[in-house]
Amino acid sequence: MAGEPQPLPKPAQKKFDRRIIDGPLRQAVWMLAWPTMLQNIFGGLQGVIDHSMVGHYVGLNANAAIGVSLQIFILVIVFVASVFSGMGVLVARFAGAGDSDAVNRTVYQAFLTAAFLSTGLLAPVGYFAAPWLLSLVNAAPDVQREALPYIRTMFVSSIGMLTFFMMSGALRAAGDVQTTLRTGVAMTIANVILNILLIPKYGTFGAALGTAIASVGTSGVLIWLLFSGRLVIRFSRGISFKPDWPIIRELFRFGLPTGIQGIAMNLAGLLMVRFIGSLQHSAEAQAAYAVGYTELFSLITWTSVGLMGAAAAVAGQNLGAGHPDRAAQSPAVAARIGLGVAAIVGLGFVLMPRVLLGAFALTEGVGFELGRQLLAYLAVSGFFVTVALCYTGGLQGTGDTKSPLYISIVSQVIVPVGLCSVIEATGDLAASDIWLAIVLGHATRATLSVLRFQQGKWRNIRVAVPRPAAE
């Protein structure tokens, strides 16, 4: 009737960014890559601050406790989070086709799956299994005492971290990296502030509590944004909590190989650490490895991971839009950007090892010499890593998640672990042998990834989400 108040219209859902499938390819890749790189840098700095503060207020046992706990937590959570890579395949494909309904339904089912796995599996099992997990890695008793409240808090609050990574992956695959960057930076800043307040009072537990509050709070904001209609992905208030099994099956069809790949690579890393521990100067070699490979080499991996996500989104969306030839060019465009970064960083490794290692107090003696030697190998390895990750993104983004699994088993397990095992069994294993094994593993991964992508079998991979039944 005239004069009656009319309901406010719902805000229109944001449109997908069509520059990803229509604009210059290099611009599309860079547009998606740089926010992820910046977010990775902020996240890495948060870890440095965590370690610095607990080391200052608690001591070395606290640093060891966080290191051991995160190794366990990441190894467990990487399999659970595999559903997110499957979600990314579907979201990119449907976003490229302009099917917002399929994107929304896919992300919502991924959210329900993540919520169930975190609250029904990770939280209870992780809490009660934490003492056993810590003993499994032979953590010292003092380290276990510091680590137990930390790892239990991380498991109980895992829904926050899982939801954040899931939402970030969904938005990135749909082309919205700005929201991901803003919320990621906000979470990091909140985490640092909370750690400054909590670590002096609660020690290692305070570091976990800060991470838990920041991740759960940020995930809550992201969920609110999804219901508000302000993003390219939207949840409706009347949406059903009922599982949509065809979508969930597709999530695990594409996601499980990536989860198994993550576990295999983490286990291979642990085996390489074991080889380093068997060397004559094991403590110095472990320090060189921790600084050179874990910290300094991340200057390349942070960039490459951002480019991998961009290559996946661009390739997946263009395949969904019916532009397979454009999808085929995406990893090469991303790799050229990555090779430029690898060249600059590698040059720094070769020309300025004393400056770089000195920032971590490796300034002289055997530790410095091993670190300098490792950086020289990593200067070469950086080229292979960035190519491997960019082409892995191309494969995974188009739906071929099995090939990267098989390639990783060959290149990251069989080649480096096998080489070190043979040398150890037939002679004296030296640090340079381990560094060479790392480079050969990366070279193998890059070569196999490029060859597999160029075969073009990803062009024929189909994804399908049935339409919901009419109400």
Side-chain angles (χ1 to χ4, degrees):
M1 291 178 64
E4 288 188 357
Q6 299 297 313
L8 293 173
K10 292 182 179 179
Q13 181 173 341
K14 285 179 64 176
K15 301 296 184 182
F16 298 120
D17 192 335
R18 308 319 284 174
R19 290 177 296 175
I20 297 173
I21 61 173
D22 293 330
L25 201 55
R26 183 183 179 88
Q27 179 182 338
V29 170
W30 181 245
M31 175 182 71
L32 294 179
W34 76 259
T36 305
M37 297 178 195
L38 190 58
Q39 183 183 340
N40 288 342
I41 292 172
F42 271 93
L45 291 176
Q46 173 199 319
V48 172
I49 293 171
D50 275 4
H51 275 283
S52 176
M53 289 191 66
V54 296
H56 176 74
Y57 286 103
V58 185
L60 292 178
N61 285 335
N63 289 121
I66 290 180
V68 168
S69 297
L70 287 178
Q71 275 189 328
I72 296 171
F73 185 70
I74 291 172
L75 186 61
V76 173
I77 207 172
V78 73
F79 183 78
V80 177
S82 65
V83 68
F84 305 159
S85 61
M87 173 200 66
V89 172
L90 300 180
V91 168
R93 190 73 67 93
F94 296 140
D99 191 343
S100 58
D101 177 69
V103 169
N104 295 339
R105 290 170 57 215
T106 299
V107 176
Y108 184 70
Q109 290 300 315
F111 169 67
L112 291 183
T113 304
F116 170 76
L117 291 173
S118 59
T119 57
L121 182 66
L122 274 181
V125 175
Y127 183 89
F128 290 107
W132 175 75
L133 291 170
L134 290 170
S135 64
L136 194 66
V137 296
N138 292 323
D142 289 342
V143 173
Q144 288 192 37
R145 279 193 293 271
E146 290 288 342
L148 187 58
Y150 183 94
I151 194 172
R152 278 180 162 170
T153 304
M154 294 296 289
F155 276 124
V156 169
S157 64
S158 59
I159 187 171
M161 196 66 71
L162 277 174
T163 302
F164 173 75
F165 285 131
M166 188 214 71
M167 297 299 183
S168 298
L171 291 168
R172 187 180 303 113
D176 183 2
V177 287
Q178 297 297 326
T179 300
T180 300
L181 173 61
R182 287 193 292 268
T183 53
V185 171
M187 184 176 74
T188 300
I189 293 173
N191 200 342
V192 170
I193 293 172
L194 287 166
N195 284 349
I196 292 172
L197 296 174
L198 296 173
I199 289 176
K201 186 173 183 180
Y202 298 107
T204 310
F205 171 64
L209 194 59
T211 300
I213 295 171
S215 62
V216 171
T218 305
S219 297
V221 171
L222 275 171
I223 293 171
W224 175 78
L225 287 171
L226 289 169
F227 278 105
S228 74
R230 290 174 169 85
L231 304 179
V232 295
I233 301 170
R234 181 174 184 168
F235 291 169
S236 65
R237 298 187 184 279
I239 199 165
S240 171
F241 286 97
K242 181 180 178 181
D244 190 328
W245 295 113
I247 293 179
I248 293 174
R249 280 195 294 271
E250 288 288 277
L251 293 175
F252 282 102
R253 171 193 166 201
F254 291 111
L256 279 179
T258 304
I260 298 171
Q261 175 189 351
I263 291 176
M265 292 181 67
N266 276 281
L267 289 174
L270 291 175
L271 289 173
M272 295 303 287
V273 170
R274 186 193 73 81
F275 286 120
I276 294 171
S278 69
L279 297 175
Q280 179 182 0
H281 299 286
S282 60
E284 292 85 350
Q286 286 172 336
Y289 181 82
V291 171
Y293 193 76
T294 306
E295 300 295 339
L296 294 175
F297 197 58
S298 62
L299 295 171
I300 292 176
T301 55
W302 282 339
T303 305
S304 301
V305 168
L307 290 166
M308 179 178 73
V314 173
Q317 285 206 28
N318 278 280
L319 191 59
H323 304 151
D325 292 337
R326 186 176 164 90
Q329 300 173 43
S330 303
V333 172
R336 282 194 288 271
I337 298 173
L339 287 170
V341 175
I344 295 170
V345 176
L347 196 62
F349 285 176
V350 173
L351 299 179
M352 300 187 299
R354 190 170 296 277
V355 174
L356 295 172
L357 296 171
F360 297 86
L362 278 179
T363 56
E364 57 185 15
V366 175
F368 168 75
E369 291 302 324
L370 290 175
R372 181 188 59 78
Q373 183 187 67
L374 174 59
L375 288 182
Y377 280 91
L378 294 180
V380 177
S381 203
F383 295 106
F384 297 124
V385 164
T386 196
V387 170
L389 290 178
C390 289
Y391 277 86
T392 295
L395 288 167
Q396 291 178 340
T398 53
D400 186 357
T401 55
K402 291 182 180 178
S403 293
L405 165 62
Y406 303 140
I407 290 170
S408 293
I409 291 174
V410 172
S411 63
Q412 304 303 108
V413 181
I414 295 176
V415 170
V417 174
L419 178 61
C420 290
S421 298
V422 169
I423 295 175
E424 187 178 53
T426 58
D428 292 328
L429 183 68
S432 59
D433 298 323
I434 300 175
W435 311 155
L436 177 61
I438 291 172
V439 176
L440 292 177
H442 291 159
T444 303
R445 187 180 182 189
T447 303
L448 294 178
S449 297
V450 172
L451 291 176
R452 180 59 179 173
F453 187 82
Q454 289 181 341
Q455 286 180 335
K457 294 186 181 297
W458 48 267
R459 293 172 181 263
N460 302 316
I461 297 175
R462 300 286 180 262
V463 301
V465 173
R467 290 287 175 186
E471 298 292 344

Coordinates of all heavy atoms in Angstrom, one line a residue, residues 288-373:
A288 N 73.4 -22.7 10.9 CA 73.5 -22.2 9.5 C 72.2 -22.5 8.7 O 71.7 -21.7 7.9 CB 74.7 -22.8 8.8
Y289 N 71.7 -23.7 8.9 CA 70.5 -24.1 8.2 C 69.3 -23.3 8.6 O 68.5 -22.9 7.8 CB 70.3 -25.6 8.4 CG 69.0 -26.2 7.7 CD1 69.1 -26.6 6.4 CD2 67.8 -26.4 8.4 CE1 68.0 -27.1 5.7 CE2 66.7 -26.9 7.8 CZ 66.8 -27.3 6.4 OH 65.7 -27.8 5.8
A290 N 69.2 -23.1 9.9 CA 68.0 -22.4 10.5 C 68.1 -20.9 10.0 O 67.0 -20.4 9.6 CB 68.1 -22.4 12.0
V291 N 69.2 -20.3 10.0 CA 69.3 -18.9 9.5 C 69.3 -18.8 8.0 O 68.5 -18.0 7.4 CB 70.7 -18.3 10.0 CG1 70.9 -16.9 9.4 CG2 70.6 -18.2 11.5
G292 N 70.1 -19.6 7.3 CA 70.1 -19.5 5.8 C 68.9 -20.0 5.1 O 68.4 -19.3 4.3
Y293 N 68.4 -21.2 5.5 CA 67.3 -21.8 4.7 C 66.0 -21.4 5.3 O 65.1 -21.0 4.5 CB 67.4 -23.3 4.8 CG 66.5 -24.0 3.8 CD1 66.8 -24.1 2.4 CD2 65.4 -24.7 4.2 CE1 66.0 -24.7 1.5 CE2 64.5 -25.3 3.3 CZ 64.8 -25.3 2.0 OH 64.0 -26.0 1.1
T294 N 65.8 -21.4 6.6 CA 64.5 -21.1 7.2 C 64.2 -19.6 7.2 O 63.1 -19.2 6.9 CB 64.5 -21.6 8.6 OG1 64.8 -23.0 8.7 CG2 63.1 -21.4 9.2
E295 N 65.2 -18.8 7.5 CA 65.0 -17.3 7.6 C 65.3 -16.6 6.3 O 64.5 -16.0 5.6 CB 65.8 -16.7 8.7 CG 65.5 -17.3 10.1 CD 64.0 -17.0 10.5 OE1 63.5 -16.0 10.0 OE2 63.5 -17.7 11.4
L296 N 66.6 -16.6 5.8 CA 67.0 -15.8 4.7 C 66.4 -16.3 3.4 O 66.0 -15.5 2.5 CB 68.5 -15.8 4.6 CG 69.2 -15.0 5.7 CD1 70.8 -15.2 5.6 CD2 68.8 -13.6 5.8
F297 N 66.3 -17.6 3.2 CA 65.7 -18.1 1.9 C 64.3 -17.8 1.8 O 63.7 -17.8 0.7 CB 66.0 -19.6 1.8 CG 65.8 -20.2 0.4 CD1 66.6 -19.7 -0.6 CD2 64.9 -21.2 0.2 CE1 66.4 -20.2 -1.9 CE2 64.7 -21.7 -1.1 CZ 65.5 -21.2 -2.1
S298 N 63.6 -17.4 2.9 CA 62.2 -17.0 2.9 C 62.0 -15.8 2.1 O 60.9 -15.5 1.6 CB 61.7 -16.9 4.3 OG 62.3 -15.8 5.0
L299 N 63.1 -15.0 1.9 CA 63.0 -13.8 1.0 C 62.5 -14.2 -0.4 O 61.9 -13.5 -1.1 CB 64.3 -13.1 1.0 CG 64.8 -12.4 2.3 CD1 66.2 -11.9 2.1 CD2 63.8 -11.3 2.7
I300 N 63.0 -15.4 -0.8 CA 62.6 -15.9 -2.1 C 61.2 -16.7 -2.0 O 60.3 -16.5 -2.9 CB 63.7 -16.8 -2.7 CG1 64.9 -16.0 -3.0 CG2 63.2 -17.6 -3.9 CD1 66.1 -16.8 -3.5
T301 N 61.1 -17.5 -1.0 CA 59.9 -18.3 -0.9 C 58.6 -17.4 -0.6 O 57.5 -17.7 -1.2 CB 60.0 -19.4 0.2 OG1 60.3 -18.8 1.5 CG2 61.1 -20.4 -0.2
W302 N 58.8 -16.4 0.1 CA 57.6 -15.5 0.3 C 57.1 -14.9 -1.0 O 55.9 -14.9 -1.3 CB 58.0 -14.3 1.2 CG 58.0 -14.6 2.7 CD1 57.4 -15.6 3.3 CD2 58.8 -13.9 3.7 NE1 57.7 -15.6 4.7 CE2 58.5 -14.5 4.9 CE3 59.6 -12.7 3.7 CZ2 59.1 -14.1 6.1 CZ3 60.1 -12.3 4.8 CH2 59.9 -12.9 6.1
T303 N 58.0 -14.5 -1.8 CA 57.7 -14.0 -3.2 C 57.1 -15.1 -4.0 O 56.0 -14.9 -4.7 CB 58.9 -13.4 -3.9 OG1 59.5 -12.5 -3.0 CG2 58.6 -12.8 -5.2
S304 N 57.7 -16.3 -4.0 CA 57.3 -17.4 -4.9 C 55.9 -17.9 -4.5 O 55.1 -18.3 -5.3 CB 58.3 -18.5 -4.8 OG 59.6 -18.0 -5.3
V305 N 55.6 -18.0 -3.2 CA 54.3 -18.4 -2.7 C 53.2 -17.4 -3.2 O 52.1 -17.9 -3.6 CB 54.3 -18.6 -1.2 CG1 52.9 -18.8 -0.7 CG2 55.1 -19.8 -0.8
G306 N 53.5 -16.1 -3.1 CA 52.6 -15.2 -3.6 C 52.3 -15.3 -5.1 O 51.2 -15.3 -5.6
L307 N 53.4 -15.6 -5.9 CA 53.3 -15.8 -7.3 C 52.6 -17.1 -7.6 O 51.8 -17.2 -8.6 CB 54.6 -15.8 -7.9 CG 55.3 -14.4 -8.0 CD1 56.8 -14.5 -8.3 CD2 54.6 -13.5 -9.0
M308 N 52.8 -18.1 -6.8 CA 52.1 -19.4 -7.0 C 50.6 -19.2 -6.8 O 49.8 -19.7 -7.6 CB 52.6 -20.4 -5.9 CG 51.9 -21.8 -6.0 SD 52.6 -23.0 -4.9 CE 51.8 -22.4 -3.3
G309 N 50.2 -18.5 -5.8 CA 48.7 -18.3 -5.6 C 48.1 -17.4 -6.7 O 47.0 -17.7 -7.2
A310 N 48.9 -16.5 -7.2 CA 48.4 -15.7 -8.4 C 48.3 -16.5 -9.6 O 47.3 -16.4 -10.4 CB 49.4 -14.5 -8.6
A311 N 49.3 -17.3 -9.9 CA 49.3 -18.2 -11.1 C 48.1 -19.2 -11.0 O 47.4 -19.4 -12.0 CB 50.6 -19.0 -11.2
A312 N 47.8 -19.7 -9.8 CA 46.7 -20.6 -9.6 C 45.4 -19.9 -9.9 O 44.5 -20.4 -10.6 CB 46.7 -21.2 -8.2
A313 N 45.2 -18.7 -9.3 CA 43.9 -18.0 -9.5 C 43.8 -17.6 -11.0 O 42.7 -17.7 -11.6 CB 43.9 -16.8 -8.6
V314 N 44.8 -17.0 -11.6 CA 44.7 -16.6 -13.0 C 44.5 -17.7 -13.9 O 43.6 -17.7 -14.8 CB 46.0 -15.8 -13.4 CG1 45.9 -15.4 -14.9 CG2 46.1 -14.5 -12.6
A315 N 45.2 -18.8 -13.8 CA 45.0 -20.0 -14.6 C 43.6 -20.6 -14.4 O 42.9 -20.9 -15.4 CB 46.1 -21.0 -14.3
G316 N 43.2 -20.7 -13.2 CA 41.9 -21.3 -12.9 C 40.8 -20.5 -13.4 O 39.8 -21.0 -14.1
Q317 N 40.8 -19.2 -13.2 CA 39.7 -18.3 -13.7 C 39.7 -18.3 -15.2 O 38.6 -18.3 -15.8 CB 39.9 -16.9 -13.1 CG 39.5 -16.8 -11.7 CD 39.1 -15.4 -11.3 OE1 38.6 -14.6 -12.2 NE2 39.3 -15.0 -10.1
N318 N 40.8 -18.2 -15.9 CA 40.8 -18.2 -17.3 C 40.4 -19.5 -17.9 O 39.7 -19.5 -19.0 CB 42.2 -17.8 -17.9 CG 42.5 -16.3 -17.8 OD1 42.0 -15.6 -18.7 ND2 43.1 -15.9 -16.8
L319 N 40.7 -20.6 -17.3 CA 40.1 -21.9 -17.8 C 38.6 -21.9 -17.6 O 37.9 -22.4 -18.5 CB 40.8 -23.0 -17.0 CG 40.6 -24.4 -17.5 CD1 41.1 -24.6 -19.0 CD2 41.2 -25.5 -16.6
G320 N 38.1 -21.4 -16.5 CA 36.7 -21.3 -16.3 C 36.0 -20.4 -17.2 O 34.8 -20.6 -17.6
A321 N 36.7 -19.3 -17.7 CA 36.1 -18.4 -18.6 C 36.2 -18.9 -20.1 O 35.8 -18.2 -21.0 CB 36.8 -17.0 -18.5
G322 N 36.8 -20.1 -20.3 CA 36.9 -20.6 -21.6 C 38.1 -20.0 -22.4 O 38.1 -20.0 -23.6
H323 N 39.2 -19.6 -21.6 CA 40.4 -19.1 -22.2 C 41.6 -20.0 -21.9 O 42.5 -19.6 -21.2 CB 40.7 -17.7 -21.8 CG 39.6 -16.7 -22.0 ND1 39.4 -15.6 -21.2 CD2 38.6 -16.7 -23.0 CE1 38.3 -15.0 -21.7 NE2 37.8 -15.6 -22.7
P324 N 41.7 -21.3 -22.3 CA 42.7 -22.2 -21.9 C 44.1 -21.7 -22.4 O 45.1 -22.0 -21.7 CB 42.3 -23.5 -22.6 CG 41.4 -23.1 -23.7 CD 40.7 -21.9 -23.3
D325 N 44.2 -21.1 -23.6 CA 45.5 -20.6 -24.0 C 46.1 -19.5 -23.1 O 47.3 -19.4 -22.9 CB 45.4 -20.1 -25.5 CG 45.1 -21.2 -26.5 OD1 45.4 -22.4 -26.1 OD2 44.6 -20.9 -27.5
R326 N 45.2 -18.6 -22.6 CA 45.6 -17.6 -21.7 C 46.0 -18.2 -20.4 O 47.0 -17.8 -19.7 CB 44.4 -16.6 -21.5 CG 44.8 -15.4 -20.7 CD 43.5 -14.5 -20.7 NE 43.6 -13.5 -19.6 CZ 44.1 -12.3 -19.7 NH1 44.7 -12.0 -20.9 NH2 44.2 -11.5 -18.7
A327 N 45.3 -19.3 -19.9 CA 45.6 -20.0 -18.7 C 47.0 -20.6 -18.8 O 47.8 -20.7 -17.9 CB 44.6 -21.1 -18.4
A328 N 47.3 -21.1 -20.0 CA 48.6 -21.8 -20.3 C 49.8 -20.8 -20.1 O 50.9 -21.3 -19.8 CB 48.6 -22.4 -21.7
Q329 N 49.6 -19.5 -20.3 CA 50.7 -18.6 -20.2 C 50.9 -18.1 -18.8 O 52.0 -17.5 -18.5 CB 50.4 -17.3 -21.1 CG 50.2 -17.7 -22.6 CD 49.7 -16.4 -23.3 OE1 50.2 -15.3 -23.1 NE2 48.8 -16.6 -24.2
S330 N 50.0 -18.3 -17.9 CA 50.0 -17.7 -16.6 C 51.2 -18.1 -15.7 O 51.9 -17.2 -15.2 CB 48.7 -18.0 -15.8 OG 47.6 -17.6 -16.5
P331 N 51.6 -19.4 -15.6 CA 52.8 -19.7 -14.8 C 54.1 -19.1 -15.4 O 54.9 -18.8 -14.6 CB 52.8 -21.3 -14.9 CG 51.4 -21.7 -15.3 CD 50.9 -20.6 -16.1
A332 N 54.2 -19.1 -16.7 CA 55.4 -18.5 -17.3 C 55.5 -17.0 -16.9 O 56.6 -16.5 -16.6 CB 55.4 -18.7 -18.8
V333 N 54.4 -16.3 -17.0 CA 54.4 -14.9 -16.6 C 54.8 -14.7 -15.2 O 55.7 -13.8 -14.8 CB 53.0 -14.2 -16.9 CG1 53.0 -12.8 -16.3 CG2 52.7 -14.2 -18.4
A334 N 54.2 -15.5 -14.3 CA 54.6 -15.4 -12.9 C 56.0 -15.8 -12.6 O 56.7 -15.2 -11.8 CB 53.6 -16.4 -12.1
A335 N 56.5 -16.8 -13.3 CA 57.9 -17.3 -13.1 C 58.9 -16.2 -13.5 O 59.9 -16.1 -12.9 CB 58.1 -18.6 -13.9
R336 N 58.6 -15.4 -14.6 CA 59.5 -14.4 -15.0 C 59.7 -13.3 -13.9 O 60.8 -12.8 -13.7 CB 59.1 -13.8 -16.3 CG 59.4 -14.6 -17.5 CD 59.2 -13.9 -18.8 NE 57.8 -13.6 -19.2 CZ 57.0 -14.4 -19.9 NH1 57.5 -15.5 -20.3 NH2 55.8 -14.0 -20.1
I337 N 58.6 -13.0 -13.3 CA 58.7 -12.1 -12.1 C 59.5 -12.7 -11.0 O 60.4 -12.0 -10.4 CB 57.2 -11.7 -11.6 CG1 56.4 -11.0 -12.7 CG2 57.3 -10.8 -10.4 CD1 55.0 -10.8 -12.4
G338 N 59.2 -13.9 -10.7 CA 60.0 -14.6 -9.6 C 61.4 -14.7 -9.9 O 62.3 -14.6 -9.0
L339 N 61.8 -15.0 -11.2 CA 63.2 -15.1 -11.5 C 64.0 -13.8 -11.3 O 65.1 -13.8 -10.9 CB 63.4 -15.6 -12.9 CG 63.0 -17.0 -13.2 CD1 63.0 -17.3 -14.7 CD2 64.0 -18.0 -12.5
G340 N 63.3 -12.7 -11.5 CA 63.9 -11.4 -11.3 C 64.2 -11.2 -9.8 O 65.3 -10.7 -9.4
V341 N 63.2 -11.5 -9.0 CA 63.4 -11.4 -7.5 C 64.5 -12.4 -7.1 O 65.4 -12.0 -6.3 CB 62.1 -11.7 -6.8 CG1 62.3 -11.7 -5.3 CG2 61.0 -10.7 -7.1
A342 N 64.5 -13.6 -7.6 CA 65.5 -14.6 -7.2 C 66.9 -14.2 -7.6 O 67.9 -14.4 -6.8 CB 65.2 -16.0 -7.8
A343 N 67.0 -13.5 -8.7 CA 68.4 -13.0 -9.1 C 68.9 -11.9 -8.2 O 70.1 -11.9 -7.8 CB 68.3 -12.4 -10.5
I344 N 68.0 -11.0 -7.8 CA 68.4 -9.9 -6.9 C 68.8 -10.5 -5.5 O 69.9 -10.2 -4.9 CB 67.3 -8.9 -6.7 CG1 67.1 -8.2 -8.1 CG2 67.6 -7.9 -5.6 CD1 65.8 -7.3 -8.1
V345 N 67.9 -11.4 -4.9 CA 68.2 -12.0 -3.6 C 69.5 -12.9 -3.7 O 70.3 -12.8 -2.8 CB 67.0 -12.8 -3.1 CG1 67.3 -13.5 -1.8 CG2 65.8 -11.8 -2.9
G346 N 69.6 -13.7 -4.8 CA 70.7 -14.5 -4.9 C 72.0 -13.8 -5.0 O 73.1 -14.2 -4.4
L347 N 72.0 -12.6 -5.7 CA 73.2 -11.8 -5.7 C 73.6 -11.3 -4.3 O 74.8 -11.2 -4.0 CB 72.9 -10.6 -6.7 CG 74.1 -9.8 -7.2 CD1 75.0 -10.7 -8.0 CD2 73.7 -8.6 -8.0
G348 N 72.6 -10.9 -3.5 CA 72.9 -10.5 -2.2 C 73.5 -11.7 -1.4 O 74.4 -11.4 -0.5
F349 N 73.0 -12.9 -1.6 CA 73.6 -14.1 -0.9 C 75.0 -14.2 -1.2 O 75.8 -14.6 -0.3 CB 72.8 -15.3 -1.3 CG 71.4 -15.5 -0.7 CD1 70.6 -16.5 -1.0 CD2 71.0 -14.6 0.2 CE1 69.4 -16.7 -0.5 CE2 69.7 -14.7 0.8 CZ 68.9 -15.8 0.4
V350 N 75.4 -14.0 -2.4 CA 76.8 -14.2 -2.9 C 77.7 -13.1 -2.4 O 78.8 -13.3 -2.0 CB 76.8 -14.4 -4.4 CG1 78.3 -14.5 -4.9 CG2 76.1 -15.7 -4.8
L351 N 77.2 -11.8 -2.6 CA 78.1 -10.7 -2.3 C 78.1 -10.2 -0.9 O 79.0 -9.6 -0.5 CB 77.6 -9.5 -3.2 CG 77.7 -9.8 -4.8 CD1 77.2 -8.5 -5.5 CD2 79.1 -10.1 -5.2
M352 N 77.0 -10.5 -0.1 CA 76.9 -9.9 1.2 C 76.6 -11.0 2.3 O 75.8 -10.8 3.1 CB 75.8 -8.8 1.3 CG 76.1 -7.7 0.3 SD 74.8 -6.4 0.6 CE 73.3 -7.2 0.2
P353 N 77.3 -12.1 2.2 CA 76.9 -13.2 3.3 C 77.2 -12.7 4.7 O 76.5 -13.1 5.6 CB 77.8 -14.4 2.8 CG 78.9 -13.8 2.1 CD 78.3 -12.6 1.4
R354 N 78.3 -12.0 4.9 CA 78.7 -11.5 6.2 C 77.6 -10.6 6.8 O 77.3 -10.7 8.0 CB 80.1 -10.9 6.2 CG 80.6 -10.6 7.6 CD 82.1 -10.2 7.6 NE 82.9 -11.2 7.0 CZ 83.4 -12.3 7.7 NH1 83.1 -12.4 9.0 NH2 84.2 -13.1 7.2
V355 N 77.1 -9.7 6.0 CA 76.1 -8.8 6.5 C 74.8 -9.5 6.8 O 74.2 -9.3 7.9 CB 75.8 -7.7 5.4 CG1 74.6 -6.8 5.8 CG2 77.0 -6.9 5.1
L356 N 74.4 -10.4 5.9 CA 73.1 -11.2 6.1 C 73.2 -12.1 7.3 O 72.3 -12.2 8.2 CB 72.8 -11.9 4.9 CG 72.5 -11.1 3.6 CD1 72.3 -12.0 2.4 CD2 71.2 -10.3 3.8
L357 N 74.3 -12.9 7.4 CA 74.5 -13.8 8.5 C 74.8 -13.1 9.8 O 74.3 -13.5 10.9 CB 75.6 -14.8 8.2 CG 75.3 -15.7 7.0 CD1 76.6 -16.5 6.7 CD2 74.2 -16.7 7.3
G358 N 75.4 -11.9 9.7 CA 75.7 -11.2 10.9 C 74.5 -10.7 11.6 O 74.5 -10.4 12.8
A359 N 73.4 -10.5 10.9 CA 72.2 -10.0 11.5 C 71.6 -11.1 12.4 O 70.8 -10.7 13.3 CB 71.1 -9.7 10.4
F360 N 72.1 -12.3 12.3 CA 71.6 -13.4 13.2 C 72.8 -13.9 14.0 O 72.7 -15.0 14.6 CB 71.1 -14.6 12.3 CG 69.9 -14.2 11.5 CD1 70.0 -13.6 10.3 CD2 68.6 -14.4 12.0 CE1 68.9 -13.3 9.5 CE2 67.5 -14.1 11.3 CZ 67.6 -13.5 10.1
A361 N 73.8 -13.0 14.2 CA 74.9 -13.3 15.1 C 75.8 -14.4 14.6 O 76.6 -15.0 15.4 CB 74.4 -13.6 16.5
L362 N 75.7 -14.8 13.3 CA 76.7 -15.7 12.7 C 77.7 -14.9 12.0 O 77.6 -14.6 10.8 CB 76.0 -16.6 11.7 CG 75.2 -17.9 12.3 CD1 74.5 -18.6 11.1 CD2 76.1 -18.8 13.0
T363 N 78.8 -14.6 12.7 CA 79.8 -13.6 12.2 C 81.2 -14.3 12.0 O 82.0 -13.7 11.3 CB 79.9 -12.4 13.1 OG1 80.3 -12.9 14.5 CG2 78.6 -11.6 13.2
E364 N 81.4 -15.4 12.6 CA 82.8 -16.0 12.5 C 82.7 -17.5 12.8 O 81.7 -18.0 13.2 CB 83.7 -15.3 13.5 CG 83.3 -15.4 14.9 CD 84.2 -14.6 15.8 OE1 85.0 -13.7 15.3 OE2 84.1 -14.8 17.0
G365 N 83.8 -18.2 12.6 CA 84.0 -19.6 13.0 C 83.3 -20.5 12.0 O 82.9 -20.1 10.8
V366 N 83.1 -21.7 12.4 CA 82.5 -22.8 11.6 C 81.1 -22.4 11.2 O 80.7 -22.7 10.0 CB 82.6 -24.1 12.3 CG1 81.9 -25.2 11.5 CG2 84.0 -24.6 12.6
G367 N 80.3 -21.9 12.1 CA 78.9 -21.5 11.8 C 78.8 -20.6 10.6 O 78.0 -20.7 9.7
F368 N 79.7 -19.5 10.6 CA 79.7 -18.6 9.5 C 80.1 -19.2 8.2 O 79.5 -19.0 7.2 CB 80.6 -17.4 9.8 CG 80.8 -16.5 8.6 CD1 79.9 -15.6 8.2 CD2 82.0 -16.6 7.9 CE1 80.1 -14.8 7.1 CE2 82.3 -15.8 6.8 CZ 81.3 -14.9 6.4
E369 N 81.1 -20.0 8.2 CA 81.6 -20.7 7.0 C 80.6 -21.6 6.4 O 80.3 -21.6 5.2 CB 82.9 -21.4 7.3 CG 84.1 -20.5 7.6 CD 84.4 -19.6 6.5 OE1 84.2 -19.9 5.3 OE2 84.8 -18.4 6.7
L370 N 79.9 -22.3 7.3 CA 78.8 -23.2 6.8 C 77.6 -22.4 6.2 O 77.0 -22.7 5.2 CB 78.3 -24.2 7.9 CG 79.3 -25.2 8.3 CD1 78.8 -26.0 9.5 CD2 79.6 -26.2 7.1
G371 N 77.3 -21.3 6.9 CA 76.2 -20.4 6.5 C 76.6 -19.8 5.1 O 75.7 -19.7 4.2
R372 N 77.8 -19.3 5.0 CA 78.2 -18.7 3.7 C 78.2 -19.7 2.6 O 77.7 -19.4 1.5 CB 79.7 -18.1 3.9 CG 80.2 -17.5 2.6 CD 81.7 -17.1 2.8 NE 82.5 -18.3 3.0 CZ 82.8 -19.2 2.1 NH1 82.5 -19.0 0.8 NH2 83.6 -20.2 2.4
Q373 N 78.6 -20.9 2.9 CA 78.6 -22.0 1.9 C 77.1 -22.3 1.5 O 76.8 -22.4 0.3 CB 79.2 -23.2 2.5 CG 79.3 -24.4 1.5 CD 79.9 -25.6 2.3 OE1 79.2 -26.2 3.1 NE2 81.1 -26.0 1.9

